[in-house]
Amino acid sequence: AGEKVLPSRMFGKTGVDVSILNTGTLRVGAFLDRLLRLAFTQGVRFFDTAKVYNTESGFKKWFSEMPEVRKQIFLATKEPVRAIGDVVKNVDQRLKALGTDYIDLLYYHGLGRGQVDWAKSQEMKKEIEEIKKTGKVRFVGFTTHDGGAMADQLQAAAKGGFVDAIMLSYEP
């Protein structure tokens, strides 16, 4: 009651509304606790972390101190991946690190040139279905920072039709 919440928009075709701003947690160091709490009080309800950011433990602390927060936010995290099978094996590690029993969006993190066709492959489709069936992850996508592969990865995802979200780097 009386809590500030930013306007929200539908997140792709997921059917979920998320705040129009997302708070990322890369390179925030000792300011993480303050960042999470301030962003939340300012109305942000979409938060992003990753195993490689070393910030998941900060979310665990936040959720243990304020358990009501977890149900109010959309939480994305990322798992680095070298081979199909890596992500499904590590879902429970992400959950434990975050201190939650579900992840809203789990990204295959940092797909590169050797992984261009993954987003249309039957192997990745099967793994994503398996991840979602556990009930521990609502949506699955991938991130890419490889300008030489990005266009082909986006085309593969469009052809595959099973990836829920793509986060890509953009440099104007």
Side-chain angles (χ1 to χ4, degrees):
E3 257 184 28
K4 186 187 300 187
V5 178
L6 291 174
S8 62
R9 300 288 184 271
M10 182 73 64
F11 189 63
K13 296 178 183 177
T14 65
V16 176
D17 282 340
V18 298
S19 58
I20 59 172
L21 291 178
N22 165 335
T23 296
T25 57
L26 177 64
R27 296 186 188 109
V28 294
F31 302 105
L32 178 63
D33 191 54
R34 287 177 35 208
L35 174 70
L36 296 177
R37 292 167 192 261
L38 178 63
F40 186 80
T41 61
Q42 295 301 306
V44 175
R45 296 296 183 267
F46 185 175
F47 290 83
D48 179 271
T49 185
K51 176 182 180 178
V52 296
Y53 295 0
N54 296 316
T55 55
E56 289 178 324
S57 62
F59 283 90
K60 184 175 188 173
K61 178 180 182 280
W62 188 31
F63 298 152
S64 72
E65 292 172 358
M66 299 177 67
E68 70 280 4
V69 165
R70 179 62 191 99
K71 290 183 173 64
Q72 297 177 51
I73 69 167
F74 186 88
L75 179 63
T77 192
K78 304 171 199 81
E79 174 71 27
V81 58
R82 298 204 194 305
I84 298 285
D86 287 352
V87 174
V88 73
K89 286 189 305 193
N90 296 321
V91 168
D92 288 333
Q93 289 176 16
R94 298 283 54 74
L95 292 170
K96 183 176 181 185
L98 288 161
T100 186
D101 58 354
Y102 71 99
I103 296 164
D104 294 295
L105 173 58
L106 179 61
Y107 289 109
Y108 286 59
H109 194 35
L111 296 192
R113 291 174 197 207
Q115 299 154 317
V116 167
D117 292 329
W118 280 23
K120 65 179 180 183
S121 73
Q122 288 304 305
E123 295 82 12
M124 186 173 184
K125 180 179 181 181
K126 182 179 174 191
E127 181 169 297
I128 286 176
E129 289 170 352
E130 186 179 336
I131 290 167
K132 288 180 175 182
K133 276 186 207 169
T134 67
K136 298 173 183 178
V137 177
R138 295 175 62 198
F139 305 105
V140 181
F142 70 87
T143 71
T144 179
H145 305 80
D146 188 332
M150 205 175 295
D152 292 333
Q153 290 167 328
L154 295 174
Q155 287 294 324
K159 287 178 185 169
F162 55 83
V163 172
D164 297 310
I166 301 168
M167 179 187 286
L168 51 98
S169 61
Y170 173 73
E171 298 174 29

